[in-house]
Amino acid sequence: MAHLKRLLSPSFWKVPKKEKKWVVTPHPGPHPKLHSIPLSIILTHIINIADTTTEAKKIIRKGEVFVDGKRRKDYAYPVGLLDVISIPKIKKHYRVVPTEKGLDLIEADEKETNLKICRVDNKSILKKGKTQLNLQDGKNILVENGNYKTGDSLLLEMPSLKIIEHLPLEKGNVGLISRGTSAGKLGKIKELIKGTMREPERVVCEVDKKDKIISKRNFIVVGKEKPVIKIS
C-alpha cells in the first residue's frame, strides 16, 4: 500500500496535515500523481460521505462509485481534471474542475453526467486512413478522418467515447484555464502563438476583460460562445 506524508499532500485534497503522518497516494493512472485526488479521499474529505478511509474502501469495493461512467473499485484510483464521479445509490454526481489552488468538485447537472470534455494532446495516423487521438486524461479514440488538431477539444459521451461535438482551438471560442493563477477562469481566444525551440505554443485570451497569455497545455476549449456543459 503506497502512502504519502500528509505534510506533502496537495492542499486541495483538504486532508488535515497534523492529524496523522500518512495519507493514501494515488495509484498510477490517467492523471499525474499530484494533479489528481485518490478516490477514497474524495469520499472522506471532499464530499464527506464516509467518516474513515476504511468506510470509504468498503463503499468503493462494493462497486458503488463510478468515474466517467465506469465502476471503479480501486480506493486509490486517481481522479482528475473534468472527470465525473457518480454515486447512484445516493443520486449524487460531481465534476472535477480546476481552481487557483488545484482541483475541486462541483455538483454536476444530472442531464450532463454522461458528458465530458477532453482535450486532444496528440494524434497519430494509423493504417487504412484512421487516426488515433490521444486525450489529456489518458483515453485514446480512433476516428475516420484527420480533421482534429492537437489543442482541440471533444465533447464525449461516457463511457462509450462517442464524439458529440468537436470544439476547435480557434479564435472566438471559449476555453477553461486549467493551471496557474487564473486556473478555473474562462477565456475567449483572441490569438494563437506558435511555439519555438524556447517557448511552447501559447494562447492569447481575454480573461476578466484583460488579455492573458496562457500555455496551450494549460488551456482546454469548452465551447464556442459559452461552455457546452456546466463547469463552474
Side-chain angles (χ1 to χ4, degrees):
M1 184 188 298
H3 285 86
L4 178 72
K5 285 188 176 180
R6 284 190 176 226
L7 291 173
L8 300 177
S9 65
S11 61
F12 61 84
W13 287 10
K14 301 180 182 179
V15 173
K17 301 287 188 178
K18 298 180 180 180
E19 193 175 274
K20 295 179 182 178
K21 185 175 181 179
W22 303 99
V23 69
V24 174
T25 191
H27 285 160
H31 301 283
K33 179 178 177 180
L34 297 182
H35 293 285
S36 61
I37 313 170
L39 199 51
S40 62
I41 287 178
I42 289 177
L43 269 58
T44 54
H45 291 93
I46 299 180
I47 61 176
N48 302 309
I49 66 165
D51 293 327
T52 64
T53 300
T54 299
E55 186 180 343
K57 285 181 180 179
K58 288 180 180 178
I59 294 170
I60 294 165
R61 285 171 179 163
K62 284 180 181 178
E64 294 180 11
V65 184
F66 293 73
V67 179
D68 289 347
K70 289 191 175 182
R71 197 186 306 271
R72 297 294 178 184
K73 294 186 177 183
D74 177 4
Y75 69 93
Y77 181 82
V79 180
L81 185 63
L82 298 180
D83 285 354
V84 175
I85 301 102
S86 296
I87 309 170
K89 190 173 182 178
I90 59 172
K91 297 181 180 179
K92 288 289 187 178
H93 308 273
Y94 304 89
R95 193 179 305 276
V96 181
V97 296
T99 70
E100 187 178 335
K101 294 182 179 180
L103 299 172
D104 202 357
L105 271 67
I106 60 169
E107 288 209 30
D109 189 314
E110 191 170 355
K111 295 179 181 178
E112 299 177 350
T113 55
N114 66 329
L115 298 177
K116 182 180 181 182
I117 296 172
C118 289
R119 183 183 63 223
V120 178
D121 277 357
N122 201 355
K123 70 176 188 176
S124 52
I125 307 300
L126 306 179
K127 293 179 180 179
K128 298 181 180 179
K130 288 193 175 182
T131 301
Q132 178 175 289
L133 305 179
N134 306 315
L135 309 180
Q136 107 271 350
D137 64 351
K139 294 181 177 66
N140 300 313
I141 298 180
L142 290 179
V143 293
E144 296 291 341
N145 63 68
N147 294 333
Y148 304 97
K149 298 178 181 178
T150 60
D152 290 356
S153 291
L154 305 174
L155 177 65
L156 301 175
E157 180 183 74
M158 308 302 290
S160 69
L161 299 183
K162 177 184 177 182
I163 298 174
I164 305 299
E165 189 173 353
H166 175 205
L167 304 168
L169 179 69
E170 62 184 26
K171 185 176 178 180
N173 283 354
V174 174
L176 177 68
I177 300 170
S178 61
R179 294 187 192 176
T181 56
S182 297
K185 293 185 177 182
L186 295 173
K188 186 173 184 178
I189 302 171
K190 298 183 72 175
E191 183 185 352
L192 302 175
I193 303 175
K194 291 184 178 180
T196 66
M197 292 290 289
R198 294 185 178 183
E199 294 282 353
E201 294 180 85
R202 289 160 291 163
V203 179
V204 180
C205 56
E206 184 180 326
V207 181
D208 296 334
K209 298 183 179 180
K210 295 181 180 179
D211 288 355
K212 285 188 175 290
I213 299 177
I214 307 295
S215 173
K216 179 180 170 182
R217 64 176 176 267
N218 294 336
F219 191 85
I220 300 177
V221 183
V222 294
K224 295 183 177 178
E225 294 183 0
K226 63 181 182 179
V228 292
I229 57 174
K230 178 185 173 184
I231 53 173
S232 62

